[in-house]
């Protein structure tokens, strides 16, 4: 299973978003996004569907069950 922080980082970059852009979309701080990407914290579970929707992927992708295409 892949690391969620790394998956979020890959998806964010694939979609051409900076950490600040992504944070603004989710209404969190850029520092929160940075922590997620460094695996020093995780998004609140209630935020996961919004993250998946933002990137147009399934929750399986975020959890590393399916691969990023």
């Amino acid at each position: 299973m892949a690391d969620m922080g790394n998956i979020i980082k890959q998806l964010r970059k694939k979609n051409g978003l900076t950490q600040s852009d992504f944070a603004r979309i989710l209404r969190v701080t850029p520092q929160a996004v940075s922590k997620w990407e460094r695996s020093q914290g995780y998004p609140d579970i209630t935020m996961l569907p919004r993250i998946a929707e933002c990137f147009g992927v399934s929750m399986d992708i975020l959890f590393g069950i399916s691969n990023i295409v």
Side-chain angles (χ1 to χ4, degrees):
M1 183 181 289
D3 172 57
M4 184 181 291
N6 189 43
I7 292 168
I8 289 172
K9 184 176 183 177
Q10 287 178 39
L11 289 168
R12 176 182 61 75
K13 287 184 172 190
K14 183 178 178 182
N15 284 273
L17 297 171
T18 65
Q19 286 182 343
S20 293
D21 294 335
F22 187 46
R24 199 172 309 113
I25 291 167
L26 295 177
R27 296 186 179 147
V28 298
T29 64
Q31 292 82 0
V33 174
S34 177
K35 282 184 177 183
W36 302 342
E37 291 184 359
R38 290 181 284 127
S39 297
Q40 293 185 341
Y42 295 95
D44 186 274
I45 195 164
T46 60
M47 191 169 290
L48 296 178
R50 287 178 43 209
I51 293 172
E53 182 180 341
C54 177
F55 294 134
V57 299
S58 71
M59 297 280 286
D60 286 354
I61 298 286
L62 292 181
F63 284 105
I65 297 169
S66 298
N67 293 326
I68 299 171
V69 178

